[in-house]
Amino acid sequence: MLFIDYYKILGIDKTATPKDVKNAYRKLARKYHPDLNPNDKDAKKNFQQINEANEVLSDPEKRKKYDQYGKDWQHAEEFEKAKQYQEQSSDYHRSRYSGNQTERDFSSFFESMFGATASAGRGRQVKYRGEDYNAELHLNLTDAYKTHKQTLAVNGKSIRITIPAGIENGQTIKISGYGGPGINGGPNGDLYISFSIANHPNIKRLGNNLYTTVELDIYTAVLGGEITMDTLNGKVKLKVKPETQNGSKIKLKGKGFPAYKNEGQFGDLFVTYTIKIPTNLTDKQKILFAELSKS
């Protein structure tokens, strides 16, 4: 595995404080966010590396392991266990004739530490499970609305995954076997992906229900009519009742967000009407409104 210099990615040195890490991450995340760089092919890759670097350097335990073991930091626990085993094994050989520890006692101890497979023989190499990886994937609400595929970079490796429609903000999914490689033939670790879903400028999501506001001109509000509005799944036509009041709400059943891993099930879309008061009226229009006010 190639070594990735997380300090270099964030543009900081090894003496950086947690606050320095946080500030550097925020600055670069804004700069390389895919939504702000739609035509930059490298922005998405840079953004993922920035998130990966922040995930490690903002966590005191992970940062300590990274500083000590470099590219092998995710196997720090395995290295420590192997070291302890070596020390215990040396102690055992020194005391095997002293009567302080029997072969059976040592086997029981070794099995409790590393499992039955590892204790089958001290001459065999111990198998260690690979480290679990953690990644964060940023989506917008439109992305989360439909099942789609995305490619993300984890420790310099590209992984293509399918993201089910209806994924929640903050939700974590596990991709088995896509973590760090096992040692001495041990199984790979798993990959845990947390999703960060950005707010939509016009639509608010609460569970599987969506909420939005639609502006009506005063004439349509008074006389009624038909309007077209945008949704996450295209445009829809709405019939506006005559004498619609400001703040009136309607519910569009089944036009909300898809339920996670429940194909064909959707929440509802709630629309609040706001009435737009006309400005820059002509003299004739003002006279008409004045006559209306007297009637």
Side-chain angles (χ1 to χ4, degrees):
M1 183 182 297
L2 296 176
F3 175 65
I4 300 176
D5 191 335
Y6 293 140
Y7 290 102
K8 185 176 180 181
I9 288 174
L10 293 184
I12 56 178
D13 55 40
K14 289 189 175 182
T15 61
T17 64
K19 184 177 181 181
D20 294 334
V21 174
K22 184 177 182 180
N23 290 339
Y25 166 70
R26 286 183 172 179
K27 180 180 178 180
L28 292 172
R30 285 194 297 267
K31 180 179 179 181
Y32 289 105
H33 197 289
D35 291 346
L36 301 178
N37 300 274
N39 299 319
D40 187 346
K41 295 181 180 180
D42 294 327
K44 188 174 183 179
K45 180 180 179 181
N46 291 334
F47 186 71
Q48 289 170 341
Q49 289 185 338
I50 292 164
N51 277 300
E52 186 179 319
N54 177 65
E55 180 189 341
V56 173
L57 299 185
S58 63
D59 185 310
E61 287 299 319
K62 290 182 180 179
R63 182 175 178 179
K64 181 180 178 181
K65 293 176 183 178
Y66 177 77
D67 289 342
Q68 185 174 356
Y69 292 98
K71 69 181 182 65
D72 297 315
W73 71 272
Q74 291 179 321
H75 298 298
E77 292 182 8
E78 284 84 352
F79 292 150
E80 290 298 326
K81 287 180 180 178
K83 183 180 178 181
Q84 290 175 11
Y85 163 59
Q86 187 178 22
E87 292 173 352
Q88 292 289 344
S89 181
S90 298
D91 291 341
Y92 162 75
H93 286 296
R94 285 194 296 268
S95 63
R96 65 178 301 180
Y97 297 110
S98 67
N100 294 330
Q101 185 177 39
T102 66
E103 181 77 24
R104 190 167 185 172
D105 291 337
F106 180 80
S107 297
S108 297
F109 166 79
F110 191 69
E111 183 173 335
S112 70
M113 288 292 292
F114 299 105
T117 301
S119 64
R122 293 191 309 278
R124 300 180 186 178
Q125 288 185 318
V126 181
K127 295 180 179 181
Y128 297 112
R129 180 180 178 276
E131 185 83 5
D132 289 335
Y133 287 169
N134 293 280
E136 186 176 62
L137 187 57
H138 290 250
L139 303 175
N140 57 45
L141 204 58
T142 305
D143 291 332
Y145 186 84
K146 296 180 179 179
T147 297
H148 66 287
K149 295 182 181 294
Q150 279 208 23
T151 301
L152 64 156
V154 179
N155 271 30
K157 180 180 179 182
S158 293
I159 300 174
R160 189 166 178 79
I161 63 171
T162 298
I163 302 172
I167 198 82
E168 292 273 0
N169 182 48
Q171 185 173 342
T172 299
I173 63 174
K174 181 179 79 170
I175 311 295
S176 299
Y178 279 83
I183 297 177
N184 298 332
N188 290 348
D190 300 323
L191 169 62
Y192 292 87
I193 303 175
S194 298
F195 291 86
S196 177
I197 302 176
N199 294 324
H200 191 278
N202 302 318
I203 299 175
K204 182 179 181 181
R205 177 189 180 188
L206 290 176
N208 293 329
N209 291 329
L210 298 176
Y211 299 82
T212 189
T213 300
V214 171
E215 192 174 70
L216 295 179
D217 62 70
I218 194 169
Y219 311 107
T220 304
V222 173
L223 302 175
E226 188 176 83
I227 64 171
T228 301
M229 64 168 288
D230 292 318
T231 71
L232 295 178
N233 196 31
K235 297 181 180 295
V236 296
K237 290 184 178 180
L238 300 178
K239 289 185 177 180
V240 181
K241 295 180 180 180
E243 301 178 5
T244 293
Q245 300 297 306
N246 185 57
S248 297
K249 297 180 180 180
I250 62 170
K251 180 175 77 171
L252 303 182
K253 189 172 179 61
K255 295 295 184 181
F257 217 70
Y260 180 70
K261 289 191 174 181
N262 283 285
E263 189 174 353
Q265 294 186 24
F266 292 80
D268 301 322
L269 171 60
F270 295 85
V271 179
T272 300
Y273 288 127
T274 60
I275 311 302
K276 182 181 180 181
I277 304 300
T279 58
N280 301 320
L281 296 175
T282 64
D283 290 340
K284 182 177 180 180
Q285 289 171 327
K286 291 178 181 179
I287 292 173
L288 290 173
F289 272 105
E291 290 178 355
L292 285 172
S293 68
K294 295 176 183 178
S295 62

